[in-house]
mmCIF file of all heavy atoms in Angstrom:
data_model
loop_
_atom_site.group_PDB
_atom_site.id
_atom_site.type_symbol
_atom_site.label_atom_id
_atom_site.label_comp_id
_atom_site.label_asym_id
_atom_site.label_seq_id
_atom_site.Cartn_x
_atom_site.Cartn_y
_atom_site.Cartn_z
ATOM 1 N N PHE L 283 -11.533 12.873 -20.235
ATOM 2 C CA PHE L 283 -11.463 12.326 -18.823
ATOM 3 C C PHE L 283 -10.237 11.479 -18.726
ATOM 4 O O PHE L 283 -10.109 10.454 -19.476
ATOM 5 C CB PHE L 283 -12.776 11.420 -18.537
ATOM 6 C CG PHE L 283 -12.628 10.599 -17.258
ATOM 7 C CD1 PHE L 283 -12.348 11.349 -16.023
ATOM 8 C CD2 PHE L 283 -12.888 9.322 -17.164
ATOM 9 C CE1 PHE L 283 -12.201 10.651 -14.860
ATOM 10 C CE2 PHE L 283 -12.878 8.607 -15.966
ATOM 11 C CZ PHE L 283 -12.433 9.282 -14.837
ATOM 12 N N ASP L 284 -9.249 11.859 -17.893
ATOM 13 C CA ASP L 284 -8.017 11.234 -17.684
ATOM 14 C C ASP L 284 -8.188 10.235 -16.456
ATOM 15 O O ASP L 284 -8.178 10.712 -15.310
ATOM 16 C CB ASP L 284 -6.852 12.189 -17.408
ATOM 17 C CG ASP L 284 -5.595 11.579 -17.209
ATOM 18 O OD1 ASP L 284 -5.456 10.349 -17.128
ATOM 19 O OD2 ASP L 284 -4.546 12.320 -17.044
ATOM 20 N N SER L 285 -8.407 8.965 -16.779
ATOM 21 C CA SER L 285 -8.732 7.969 -15.749
ATOM 22 C C SER L 285 -7.375 7.244 -15.339
ATOM 23 O O SER L 285 -6.757 6.643 -16.214
ATOM 24 C CB SER L 285 -9.673 6.904 -16.276
ATOM 25 O OG SER L 285 -9.790 5.808 -15.453
ATOM 26 N N THR L 286 -7.012 7.323 -14.073
ATOM 27 C CA THR L 286 -5.825 6.461 -13.612
ATOM 28 C C THR L 286 -6.335 5.342 -12.734
ATOM 29 O O THR L 286 -5.540 4.431 -12.526
ATOM 30 C CB THR L 286 -4.914 7.410 -12.793
ATOM 31 O OG1 THR L 286 -5.669 7.922 -11.652
ATOM 32 C CG2 THR L 286 -4.402 8.576 -13.540
ATOM 33 N N GLY L 287 -7.562 5.385 -12.257
ATOM 34 C CA GLY L 287 -8.064 4.365 -11.440
ATOM 35 C C GLY L 287 -7.833 4.621 -9.956
ATOM 36 O O GLY L 287 -6.806 4.905 -9.474
ATOM 37 N N LEU L 288 -8.935 4.755 -9.171
ATOM 38 C CA LEU L 288 -8.905 5.109 -7.761
ATOM 39 C C LEU L 288 -9.178 3.969 -6.836
ATOM 40 O O LEU L 288 -10.095 3.176 -7.134
ATOM 41 C CB LEU L 288 -9.894 6.247 -7.450
ATOM 42 C CG LEU L 288 -9.932 7.483 -8.311
ATOM 43 C CD1 LEU L 288 -10.913 8.555 -7.790
ATOM 44 C CD2 LEU L 288 -8.511 8.140 -8.387
ATOM 45 N N ALA L 289 -8.512 3.960 -5.779
ATOM 46 C CA ALA L 289 -8.717 2.915 -4.723
ATOM 47 C C ALA L 289 -10.182 2.951 -4.259
ATOM 48 O O ALA L 289 -10.658 1.870 -3.894
ATOM 49 C CB ALA L 289 -7.760 3.085 -3.557
ATOM 50 N N ILE L 290 -10.753 4.120 -4.227
ATOM 51 C CA ILE L 290 -12.189 4.103 -3.736
ATOM 52 C C ILE L 290 -13.106 3.501 -4.665
ATOM 53 O O ILE L 290 -14.164 2.927 -4.406
ATOM 54 C CB ILE L 290 -12.691 5.588 -3.461
ATOM 55 C CG1 ILE L 290 -12.440 6.537 -4.673
ATOM 56 C CG2 ILE L 290 -12.065 6.108 -2.179
ATOM 57 C CD1 ILE L 290 -13.137 7.880 -4.467
ATOM 58 N N GLN L 291 -12.736 3.389 -5.989
ATOM 59 C CA GLN L 291 -13.548 2.583 -7.024
ATOM 60 C C GLN L 291 -13.492 1.204 -6.650
ATOM 61 O O GLN L 291 -14.517 0.455 -6.715
ATOM 62 C CB GLN L 291 -13.076 2.830 -8.381
ATOM 63 C CG GLN L 291 -13.172 4.151 -9.000
ATOM 64 C CD GLN L 291 -12.357 4.314 -10.260
ATOM 65 O OE1 GLN L 291 -11.429 5.191 -10.354
ATOM 66 N NE2 GLN L 291 -12.657 3.477 -11.295
ATOM 67 N N ASP L 292 -12.264 0.777 -6.200
ATOM 68 C CA ASP L 292 -12.134 -0.715 -5.889
ATOM 69 C C ASP L 292 -12.864 -1.015 -4.608
ATOM 70 O O ASP L 292 -13.505 -2.159 -4.532
ATOM 71 C CB ASP L 292 -10.586 -0.957 -5.683
ATOM 72 C CG ASP L 292 -9.838 -0.807 -6.948
ATOM 73 O OD1 ASP L 292 -10.245 -1.424 -7.935
ATOM 74 O OD2 ASP L 292 -9.024 -0.003 -6.984
ATOM 75 N N LEU L 293 -12.955 -0.102 -3.645
ATOM 76 C CA LEU L 293 -13.751 -0.278 -2.438
ATOM 77 C C LEU L 293 -15.209 -0.367 -2.742
ATOM 78 O O LEU L 293 -15.924 -1.253 -2.318
ATOM 79 C CB LEU L 293 -13.441 0.778 -1.386
ATOM 80 C CG LEU L 293 -12.059 0.743 -0.831
ATOM 81 C CD1 LEU L 293 -11.953 1.807 0.246
ATOM 82 C CD2 LEU L 293 -11.652 -0.707 -0.275
ATOM 83 N N ALA L 294 -15.644 0.542 -3.696
ATOM 84 C CA ALA L 294 -17.074 0.614 -3.997
ATOM 85 C C ALA L 294 -17.618 -0.730 -4.655
ATOM 86 O O ALA L 294 -18.572 -1.294 -4.315
ATOM 87 C CB ALA L 294 -17.356 1.798 -4.891
#
Side-chain angles (χ1 to χ4, degrees):
Chain L
F283 172 50
D284 180 354
S285 169
T286 62
L288 305 187
I290 53 170
Q291 292 168 241
D292 297 301
L293 293 183

